[in-house]
Amino acid sequence: MEAISESRCFGGVQGVYKHASDACGCDMTFGLFLPAEAEDGPVPVLWYLSGLMCTHAEAMEKTGAQQWAAEQGIALVFPDTSPRGEGVADDPAYNLGSGAGFYVNATQAPWAQNYQMWDYVAEELPRLLVNNAAIDENRQAIMGHSMGGHGALTIAMAYPGRFTSVSALAPVSHPSTSDWAKKPIHAYLGEGNVDWTRHDACLSLRANGFNGPMLIDQGTADPFIDALMPEALAAAIIETRHQGTVRMQPGYDHSYFFISTFMEDHVAFHAEALYA
């Protein structure tokens, strides 16, 4: 971990770090907020997975999450959304390539060489942080927005017992039946080759469940709501009788104004589970 910057923040430290990623075959950058309690030992951690076109920086700088995490004594991790740099494949489409890794391990050319975002977020980066920062690997929670909501939900369900809780803001909920969401995932994994039970939150919940509480917020004025399909996730929660809550927020869109409005709720939700 090479420190790019470290700034005092709500009694703790907001850092930005770079490291050579074996999973992605390039340098990766991420944000890490450590509350004051981390000076005395490992603290619980909340992972925040960002959406399309974001880097680590947008959520770190726009959500106000550090204030609420500092009050709860929780660390925050803000990974990047894709590999980047010279020689890394890209595409002109906003939902494919740079900033749009969709938290999958690509198997198709030209993406397979670097776009191993599932392994990076679920395996490599957690190991790096547990070994190099005051992070308690036994107390982890995960959340995300949009594409990152898709990643948070599917990763949480694939690792039973790792995460105490999962939440999402306007997540891509049912990509196997959403033409908009299917296109980039097919590009990475190959049409006909996708394990949708692993990469579709609705199907994964039905197949694998999740041993913890779930919180979903969706704005009713979100221009992407038809592609996000919150009603499908609500139906899966009801069908599986999961301890999940889906809240439709009147008038809110897909922006960071929406995210920042409900960030305190989500951090408090995870803190309750992390300290249970």
Side-chain angles (χ1 to χ4, degrees):
M1 286 171 53
E2 175 187 342
I4 296 174
S5 66
E6 292 182 327
S7 302
R8 201 70 178 161
C9 181
F10 293 104
V13 175
Q14 175 62 65
V16 177
Y17 304 93
K18 181 174 69 173
H19 72 109
S21 167
D22 291 332
C24 294
C26 63
D27 286 346
M28 295 292 288
T29 302
F30 65 92
L32 171 65
F33 170 74
L34 290 173
E37 288 84 350
E39 296 176 6
D40 299 319
V43 296
V45 59
L46 173 58
W47 294 80
Y48 183 99
L49 305 187
S50 292
L52 283 169
M53 300 186 292
C54 292
T55 68
H56 70 280
E58 281 83 358
M60 184 182 76
E61 296 172 356
K62 295 179 180 180
T63 63
Q66 295 90 340
Q67 176 180 353
W68 317 120
E71 290 184 2
Q72 302 286 356
I74 293 173
L76 297 169
V77 183
F78 304 97
D80 203 346
T81 55
S82 76
R84 301 174 192 270
E86 186 177 352
V88 175
D90 199 2
D91 190 275
Y94 78 98
N95 62 344
L96 184 64
S98 182
F102 268 88
Y103 304 100
V104 301
N105 287 336
T107 60
Q108 304 299 299
W111 314 108
Q113 182 176 349
N114 302 107
Y115 284 74
Q116 304 297 310
M117 288 302 295
W118 179 289
D119 281 353
Y120 177 69
V121 169
E123 300 289 348
E124 184 177 26
L125 189 54
R127 286 196 300 269
L128 180 75
L129 292 180
V130 167
N131 291 331
N132 292 278
I135 297 298
D136 185 348
E137 64 178 324
N138 296 314
R139 290 187 292 170
Q140 299 187 58
I142 191 167
M143 68 175 295
H145 169 239
S146 193
M147 177 185 74
H150 149 79
L153 290 167
T154 55
I155 289 172
M157 294 174 201
Y159 290 84
R162 178 185 293 189
F163 301 101
T164 63
S165 47
V166 62
S167 73
L169 297 131
V172 179
S173 298
H174 200 18
S176 64
T177 61
S178 169
D179 290 340
W180 173 86
K182 259 194 292 193
K183 184 177 179 179
I185 295 178
H186 280 164
Y188 291 131
L189 301 178
E191 189 170 355
N193 298 329
V194 183
D195 179 359
W196 286 115
T197 301
R198 183 179 177 92
H199 295 300
D200 182 306
C202 294
L203 301 181
S204 187
L205 185 60
R206 289 186 173 97
N208 304 319
F210 176 68
N211 187 27
M214 180 185 301
L215 174 63
I216 309 296
D217 276 311
Q218 172 66 60
T220 62
D222 189 326
F224 305 107
I225 193 168
D226 289 341
L228 300 173
M229 302 180 68
E231 68 281 357
L233 184 55
I237 290 171
I238 293 169
E239 181 181 320
T240 58
R241 300 178 180 177
H242 187 79
Q243 53 176 323
T245 301
V246 178
R247 307 190 302 189
M248 302 300 295
Q249 303 293 357
Y252 283 90
D253 58 20
H254 201 72
S255 70
Y256 276 93
F257 298 112
F258 161 62
I259 299 169
S260 60
T261 298
F262 298 103
M263 182 56 68
E264 180 181 7
D265 287 359
H266 282 250
V267 174
F269 164 79
H270 289 294
E272 183 176 356
L274 287 164
Y275 286 111

